[in-house]
Amino acid sequence: MKLFKKTYWLIYPILFVVFMLIFDQLYKTDSFAMKAIICAFLAFFLSPRKKIVETQTGKIKQITWLFLKKPVILE
C-alpha cells in the first residue's frame, strides 16, 4: 500500500496509454481525437479518486478506487 499511496496518480496516464493501444488494435479509425476522447473517458472512469472527508478529528484525504474494498487514507 505504501507504493500505491505514492504512485496512485500514475494510474490515469498508464490506463490512457493502455486503452489507446487496445483501441488502436481493435478499431481501425483515422480520427485520433475520437480515440483520445474515448480512451480518456475510460481511463478517467477507472482511475482512483482522491477525496477529502470531514471526520470528528478533522479533515482527512482518502483514495477510493473501483478495485479496492476499503479506501486508502493519505497522511
Side-chain angles (χ1 to χ4, degrees), residues 3-4 6-17 47-48:
L3 181 65
F4 182 74
K6 292 180 183 177
T7 60
Y8 71 91
W9 54 274
L10 283 173
I11 294 174
Y12 178 74
I14 291 171
L15 283 175
F16 180 75
V17 170
S47 64

Side-chain angles (χ1 to χ4, degrees), residues 1 4 8 11-12 15 19 41-51 62-72:
M1 278 300 164
F4 182 74
Y8 71 91
I11 294 174
Y12 178 74
L15 283 175
F19 285 137
F41 174 74
L42 287 173
F44 179 76
F45 181 71
L46 293 176
S47 64
R49 308 273 191 271
K50 183 170 71 169
K51 295 195 297 188
Q62 68 181 15
I63 300 172
T64 57
W65 197 19
L66 181 66
F67 304 112
L68 291 176
K69 291 183 181 181
K70 291 182 175 180
V72 177

Side-chain angles (χ1 to χ4, degrees), residues 15-25 32 35-36 39:
L15 283 175
F16 180 75
V17 170
V18 168
F19 285 137
M20 284 292 282
L21 292 173
I22 292 171
F23 193 82
D24 193 39
Q25 295 298 319
F32 179 76
K35 286 183 202 178
C39 294

